[in-house]
């Protein structure tokens, strides 16, 4: 790949054709060190919850972080962060992301719509155009990480973001532990490999639950399926996050679970689990920089 900007040597970086005949889409001109895709084989496994908490954890650790909700048909990030009443503003020819903290910026389809309860009926080209705008027309500033929450399954949005975003490091796959969910996540692993991207790791969400009454661990959806899939497909395992009623409540109340309430100093295994997943992810990303 040329180290000159695309087209400066008269050839496209993507396909090596002459730039005047090249049909390849151009990468968006944004400053981001690592783009991380978050995928799942199916809905309801906690992909958006993990994206929100992972992005928040990265920003809490001092990384300038962007969170891009590309679940265009079912955007839930804004609700989970309690910013669903805010709207993206334009300044000059740039769209300003919503600043959740000094180091966490968010863009979502839900922040553009007047009616958030109406379905979005869009065909592929419209989605591709929106994704291009969410990258190139947004004033993201300089980011260390851009966490991209993709729709469940193996759709166009993932292909589009890989085409338009620079520095896509790879994908994180969220699954629940039971066999059927793991089966779906193996499709996601193969999809990521088809896009010629590394799988940065599997996260097993809803992995066991500590009974709030007796303290025993209940394996509601089983345990260990994500780890088994990681071994089988020779990809990293980033960790397990238990089912935690507080995590569900946080999502419904519009706050990231990992943001502790003032005065809350009690040890919290779920909080530690999310932090561990984030640390393991950073290790995987940094390995690739060496
Ligand atoms: P997806 O993005 O995969 O469709 P969501 O992140 O929207 O899934 O999560 C689905 C529901 O499960 C939400 O109500 C969320 O709060 C809840 N949830 C996700 N992970 C956990 C967890 N570890 N413990 C408790 N509830 C969870």
């Amino acid at each position: 790949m040329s180290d000159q900007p695309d087209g400066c040597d008269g050839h496209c970086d993507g396909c090596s054709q002459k730039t005047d005949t090249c049909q390849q889409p151009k990468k968006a001109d944004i400053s981001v060190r690592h783009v991380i895709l978050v995928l799942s084989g199916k809905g309801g496994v906690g992909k958006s919850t993990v994206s929100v908490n992972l992005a928040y954890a990265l920003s809490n650790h001092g990384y300038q972080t962007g969170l891009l909700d590309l679940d265009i048909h079912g955007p839930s990030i804004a609700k989970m962060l309690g910013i669903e009443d805010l709207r993206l503003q334009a300044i000059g020819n740039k769209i300003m992301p919503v600043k959740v903290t000094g180091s966490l910026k968010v863009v979502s389809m839900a922040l553009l719509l007047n009616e958030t309860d109406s379905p979005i009926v869009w065909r592929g080209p419209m989605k591709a155009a929106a994704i291009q705008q969410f990258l190139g027309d947004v004033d993201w500033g300089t980011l260390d990480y851009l966490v991209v929450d993709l729709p469940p399954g193996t759709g166009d949005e993932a292909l589009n973001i890989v085409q338009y975003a620079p520095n896509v490091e790879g994908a994180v796959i969220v699954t629940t532990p039971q066999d059927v969910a793991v089966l779906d996540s193996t499709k996601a692993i193969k999809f990521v490999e088809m896009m010629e991207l590394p799988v940065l790791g599997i996260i097993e969400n809803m992995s066991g639950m500590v009974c709030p009454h007796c303290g025993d661990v209940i394996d509601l959806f089983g345990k260990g399926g994500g780890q088994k899939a990681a071994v089988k497909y020779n990809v990293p395992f980033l960790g397990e996050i238990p089912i935690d009623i507080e995590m569900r409540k946080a999502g419904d109340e519009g706050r990231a679970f990992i943001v502790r309430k003032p005065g809350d100093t009690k040890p919290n295994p779920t909080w530690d689990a999310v932090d561990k997943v984030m640390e393991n992810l950073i290790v995987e990303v940094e390995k690739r920089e060496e």
Side-chain angles (χ1 to χ4, degrees), residues 5 14 40 42 44 73 76 82 94 116 118 134 146 158 177 184 188-189 198 220 255 267 270 272 279 290:
S40 64
K42 61 173 188 165
H73 299 284
S76 50
K94 283 284 182 192
T116 47
S118 297
F134 283 162
L146 179 65
D184 285 317
I189 295 173
L220 204 58
R255 56 186 169 83
T270 314
D272 291 345
E279 279 166 13
E290 285 162 10

Side-chain angles (χ1 to χ4, degrees), residues 14-260:
C15 68
S16 316
Q17 286 185 37
K18 287 221 175 258
T19 30
D20 49 359
T21 53
C22 169
Q23 300 293 310
Q24 291 274 323
K26 285 240 177 352
K27 295 274 183 195
D29 183 18
I30 56 169
S31 170
V32 53
R33 279 171 61 212
H34 312 291
V35 174
I36 311 289
L37 312 184
V38 184
L39 275 170
S40 64
K42 61 173 188 165
V45 297
K47 174 184 52 61
S48 299
T49 306
V50 167
S51 300
V52 162
N53 284 288
L54 210 51
Y56 226 113
L58 286 165
S59 74
N60 277 353
H61 281 72
Y63 295 104
Q64 285 296 329
T65 306
L67 176 55
L68 175 56
D69 181 3
L70 283 193
D71 199 342
I72 291 176
H73 299 284
S76 50
I77 297 276
K79 166 125 186 64
M80 285 181 177
L81 283 169
I83 54 170
E84 76 270 32
D85 292 336
L86 302 180
R87 289 292 166 269
L88 298 173
Q89 306 292 327
I91 297 188
N93 57 358
K94 283 284 182 192
I95 302 167
M96 305 312 286
V98 168
K99 267 192 171 185
V100 177
T101 69
S103 52
L104 178 61
K105 295 170 182 157
V106 179
V107 166
S108 166
M109 199 65 203
L111 298 168
L112 275 175
L113 302 173
N114 289 332
E115 290 174 42
T116 47
D117 51 0
S118 297
I120 297 172
V121 188
W122 276 11
R123 290 189 191 279
M126 281 175 81
K127 285 195 272 187
I131 292 169
Q132 259 178 316
Q133 282 199 305
F134 283 162
L135 289 168
D137 292 353
V138 169
D139 184 0
W140 287 105
T142 299
L143 296 178
D144 296 305
Y145 283 90
L146 179 65
V147 176
V148 183
D149 184 32
L150 285 162
T154 49
D156 281 353
E157 291 83 343
L159 299 169
N160 291 149
I161 193 89
V162 173
Q163 278 178 331
Y164 303 134
N167 300 332
V168 180
E169 297 290 352
V172 165
I173 292 167
V174 181
T175 185
T176 47
Q178 70 271 39
D179 286 349
V180 277
V182 172
L183 180 69
D184 285 317
S185 71
T186 58
K187 286 185 199 152
I189 295 173
K190 290 186 178 164
F191 178 58
V192 173
E193 288 172 351
M194 273 168 56
M195 294 191 291
E196 298 180 354
L197 282 179
V199 175
L200 296 170
I202 296 183
I203 300 169
E204 182 173 303
N205 188 32
M206 308 195 189
S207 177
M209 170 184 161
V210 179
C211 171
H213 305 295
C214 68
D216 273 0
V217 175
I218 307 162
D219 285 341
L220 204 58
F221 298 131
K223 220 169 173 5
Q227 180 133 37
K228 254 197 262 167
V231 171
K232 184 169 172 194
Y233 292 96
N234 195 22
V235 297
F237 183 64
L238 300 179
E240 299 162 347
I241 301 171
I243 297 176
D244 189 320
I245 293 169
E246 289 305 318
M247 196 171 230
R248 197 272 304 150
K249 275 194 207 159
D252 283 349
E253 287 168 11
R255 56 186 169 83
F257 166 77
I258 57 147
V259 181
R260 292 194 179 205

